[in-house]
């Protein structure tokens, strides 16, 4: 009989299993148990593409089923899974938190020891832009959830679950939930968060912090980050135990302060629209239509999903007394999506970006609750700076073959050498 350490890799929104191929390869090549056990790495595939729109909860159940299938396959060969780790990227980190909550409620961790829980660029407290005084930001916060369907509603904390009517992300951070208990049961909890150019998942949410002293939502220049690096992984993995802050460097301001700011802001929006039309016509023309079509498909999938008794998840949303590889074209399309998100954020915050003073972020009550409760669990946090690509969300895990993602290899090397544990 062989004992296995099962490692589950969970991709993010719009993604597929190939996004985590580089991490899978590094785990298989460099993690070698010395106690006679074996490593079994599995990239999830049951929530690929637009299936990610169906919700954190539904996809969490799909991942849970995949995990159960992997365990069963091992058992069918006369072996057993004795240890368990899970790595979530972007939305995959939230899906992972839901999946382990289901497993915990089923008693899975009474038989299998939970070792590593790791996330890369995961919006642990949602993705809504907390600068609500800005009209364009308020519009963004209200309209963006529509395009991501059920998951969008959960991302922006617009949903409500259980009789307590909390947003799912807030409930998953509640000490009375199975999800919190599941996270607490892991021996090691670690996260990686970009400090620049990751507007899809800014520092404050990826690192579970109440503020943004690094101005990660606005600052695009790594030279404005004052920090020290972890030896051997410089200048990409920051030592979070040392002083870390934002400081605007000389020469970062425009040569002269723009006049007629309204005109220039309008011009900036026109530039973005022009880029969409010229550079990403397929994505731009199909995005709204696709969202409508996918909403219809998602509603049909969810009706079928909820009709099965084994998929009922409502009991996980209540208080419990006893609760302690893509083609080059598709890669380019995904990069264009990331770049458009960056441009839209830039247009919304154009005035801020051309100001010497950055406003403080203000979390809502549910986000503040999630930050407070999740931080009681004790995370190892690793800020990351990537300089060679503006697509830092993809670069941090080397999402596909791109020479500009070379610094992401340093981040993954740190994960392999310093973070992932066998015991």
């Amino acid at each position: 009989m062989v004992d296995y350490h099962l490692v589950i890799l969970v991709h993010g929104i719009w993604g597929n299993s190939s996004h985590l191929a580089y991490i899978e390869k590094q785990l298989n090549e460099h993690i070698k148990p010395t106690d006679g056990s074996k490593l079994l790495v599995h990239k999830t595939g049951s929530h690929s593409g637009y299936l990610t729109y169906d919700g954190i909860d539904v996809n969490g159940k799909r991942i849970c089923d995949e995990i159960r299938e992997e365990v069963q396959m091992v058992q069918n060969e006369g072996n057993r899974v004795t240890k368990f780790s899970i790595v979530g990227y972007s939305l995959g980190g939230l899906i992972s938190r839901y999946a382990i909550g289901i497993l915990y409620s089923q008693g899975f961790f009474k038989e299998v020891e939970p070792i590593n829980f790791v996330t890369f660029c995961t919006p642990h407290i949602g993705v809504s832009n907390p600068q609500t005084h800005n009209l364009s930001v308020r519009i963004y916060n209200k309209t963006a959830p529509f395009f991501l369907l059920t998951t969008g509603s959960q991302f922006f904390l617009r949903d409500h679950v259980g009789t307590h009517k909390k947003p799912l992300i807030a409930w998953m951070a509640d000490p009375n939930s199975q999800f919190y208990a599941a996270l607490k049961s892991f021996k090691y909890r670690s996260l990686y968060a970009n400090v620049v150019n990751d507007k899809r998942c800014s520092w404050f949410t990826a690192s579970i912090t109440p503020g943004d002293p690094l101005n990660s939502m606005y600052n695009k220049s790594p030279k404005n980050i004052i920090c020290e690096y972890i030896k051997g992984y410089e200048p990409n993995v920051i030592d979070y135990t040392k002083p870390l802050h934002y400081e605007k460097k000389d020469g970062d301001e425009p040569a002269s302060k723009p006049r007629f700011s309204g005109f220039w802001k309008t011009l900036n929006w026109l530039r973005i629209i022009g880029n969409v039309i010229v550079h990403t016509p397929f994505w731009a023309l199909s995005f709204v239509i696709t969202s409508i079509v996918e909403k219809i498909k998602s509603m049909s999938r969810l009706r079928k999903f909820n009709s099965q008794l084994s998929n009922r998840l409502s009991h996980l949303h209540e208080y419990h007394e006893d609760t302690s590889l893509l083609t080059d074209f598709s890669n380019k399309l995904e990069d264009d999506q990331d770049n458009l998100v960056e441009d839209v954020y830039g247009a919304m915050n154009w005035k801020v970006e051309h100001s010497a003073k950055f406003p403080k972020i203000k979390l809502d009550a549910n986000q503040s609750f999630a930050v407070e409760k999740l931080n009681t669990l004790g995370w190892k946090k690793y800020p990351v700076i990537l300089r060679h690509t503006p697509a830092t969300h993809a670069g941090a895990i080397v999402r596909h073959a791109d020479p500009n993602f070379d610094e992401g290899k340093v981040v993954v090397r740190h994960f392999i050498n310093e973070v992932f544990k066998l015991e």
Side-chain angles (χ1 to χ4, degrees):
M1 177 183 290
V2 177
D3 290 343
Y4 280 91
H5 183 158
L6 177 60
V7 184
I8 300 295
L9 308 181
V10 188
H11 67 74
I13 198 161
W14 298 318
N16 61 65
S17 59
S18 72
H19 285 184
L20 290 157
Y22 184 78
I23 289 181
E24 176 193 38
K25 183 174 183 291
Q26 298 307 304
L27 282 167
N28 284 327
E29 289 184 356
H30 300 288
I31 302 297
K32 306 294 182 183
T34 57
D35 60 356
S37 64
K38 291 185 177 181
L39 202 69
L40 176 59
V41 184
H42 173 73
K43 304 190 304 295
T44 59
S46 61
H47 66 304
S48 298
Y50 289 114
L51 293 178
T52 54
Y53 283 3
D54 292 348
I56 295 167
D57 47 350
V58 170
N59 285 303
K61 178 59 167 59
R62 289 169 176 157
I63 298 310
C64 177
D65 292 344
E66 279 197 65
I67 293 169
R68 287 291 190 181
E69 289 174 4
E70 287 297 305
V71 172
Q72 189 60 54
M73 287 175 59
V74 170
Q75 292 175 345
N76 290 343
E77 295 174 351
N79 302 311
R80 63 179 182 175
V81 172
T82 58
K83 295 177 182 178
F84 178 83
S85 294
I86 190 164
V87 179
Y89 163 61
S90 192
L91 169 65
L94 290 171
I95 294 174
S96 297
R97 284 172 53 194
Y98 199 98
I100 64 171
I102 299 175
L103 292 173
Y104 183 89
S105 72
Q106 296 173 343
F108 181 81
F109 296 125
K110 292 179 181 178
E111 301 175 355
V112 179
E113 183 182 6
I115 305 295
N116 304 286
F117 185 93
V118 184
T119 63
F120 287 83
C121 313
T122 289
H124 285 286
I125 62 171
V127 299
S128 60
N129 189 323
Q131 288 299 320
T132 55
H133 67 279
N134 185 306
L135 177 60
S136 59
V137 170
R138 292 201 300 270
I139 293 174
Y140 170 80
N141 283 343
K142 287 185 177 297
T143 59
F146 169 79
F147 296 104
L148 302 179
L149 310 186
T150 302
T151 299
S153 179
Q154 294 167 345
F155 260 165
F156 285 78
L157 284 74
R158 301 281 294 277
D159 66 313
H160 299 90
V161 299
T163 55
H164 45 76
K165 299 299 182 183
K166 287 184 178 181
L168 181 60
I169 286 178
W171 173 239
M172 288 168 63
D174 195 307
N176 293 296
S177 74
Q178 305 276 10
F179 310 103
Y180 180 95
L183 260 182
K184 187 177 181 179
S185 70
F186 277 77
K187 195 169 182 179
Y188 308 100
R189 288 166 297 277
S190 306
L191 61 81
Y192 290 84
N194 284 310
V195 299
V196 293
N197 290 322
D198 193 341
K199 300 301 187 297
R200 183 183 287 191
C201 186
S202 295
W203 159 259
F204 77 93
T205 185
S207 64
I208 320 177
T209 56
D212 190 15
L214 303 178
N215 293 313
S216 65
M217 297 183 66
Y218 309 108
N219 175 46
K220 295 181 179 181
S221 178
K223 70 180 181 181
N224 292 331
I225 303 300
I226 308 303
C227 62
E228 295 184 38
Y229 300 97
I230 295 177
K231 187 176 181 180
Y233 306 97
E234 58 271 86
N236 302 117
V237 184
I238 297 171
D239 187 344
Y240 196 46
T241 66
K242 305 291 178 60
L244 171 65
H245 67 278
Y246 167 89
E247 182 178 302
K248 198 168 189 65
K249 296 295 186 179
D250 293 338
D252 204 50
E253 283 282 358
S256 59
K257 190 173 182 179
R259 299 178 62 187
F260 312 111
S261 60
F263 168 77
W264 288 110
K265 187 174 182 180
T266 300
L267 192 63
N268 199 37
W269 272 107
L270 291 175
R271 177 187 64 81
I272 292 169
I273 294 171
N275 285 339
V276 168
I277 294 173
V278 173
H279 298 296
T280 58
F282 173 80
W283 186 84
L285 291 174
S286 67
F287 186 68
V288 174
I289 296 175
T290 298
S291 295
I292 295 172
V293 172
E294 291 301 327
K295 183 175 181 64
I296 296 171
K297 291 181 179 179
S298 179
M299 289 173 64
S300 177
R301 288 194 300 267
L302 292 179
R303 279 195 298 269
K304 184 177 180 180
F305 179 91
N306 291 322
S307 68
Q308 300 179 34
L309 189 62
S310 62
N311 287 334
R312 299 292 171 84
L313 302 170
S314 58
H315 66 287
L316 291 168
H317 303 155
E318 302 296 344
Y319 289 96
H320 293 275
E321 293 182 359
D322 60 346
T323 298
S324 50
L325 296 176
L326 295 177
T327 64
D328 290 340
F329 173 77
S330 61
N331 286 332
K332 178 65 168 61
L333 188 60
E334 289 167 354
D335 288 345
D336 285 342
Q337 290 172 339
D338 285 347
N339 291 337
L340 182 64
V341 170
E342 298 285 334
D343 281 346
V344 169
Y345 265 88
M348 290 191 305
N349 299 314
W350 185 88
K351 184 177 180 180
V352 175
E353 288 177 359
H354 288 77
S355 169
K357 186 176 182 180
F358 290 84
K360 292 183 178 180
I361 67 170
K362 184 179 180 181
L363 305 182
D364 67 22
N366 285 309
Q367 289 175 311
S368 296
F369 174 85
V371 168
E372 177 188 354
K373 300 307 179 183
L374 287 175
N375 278 318
T376 63
L377 293 173
W379 297 77
K380 292 289 187 180
K381 300 183 180 182
Y382 300 102
V384 172
I385 289 185
L386 304 185
R387 295 171 173 79
H388 299 166
T389 177
T392 59
H393 192 75
I397 62 159
V398 194
R399 200 166 70 185
H400 56 263
D402 186 326
N404 295 318
F405 290 174
D406 59 317
E407 293 172 304
K409 294 180 179 180
V410 177
V411 176
V412 174
R413 178 163 58 86
H414 176 268
F415 161 68
I416 295 295
N417 294 343
E418 311 297 338
V419 172
F420 189 89
K421 307 295 183 183
L422 288 169
E423 300 289 345

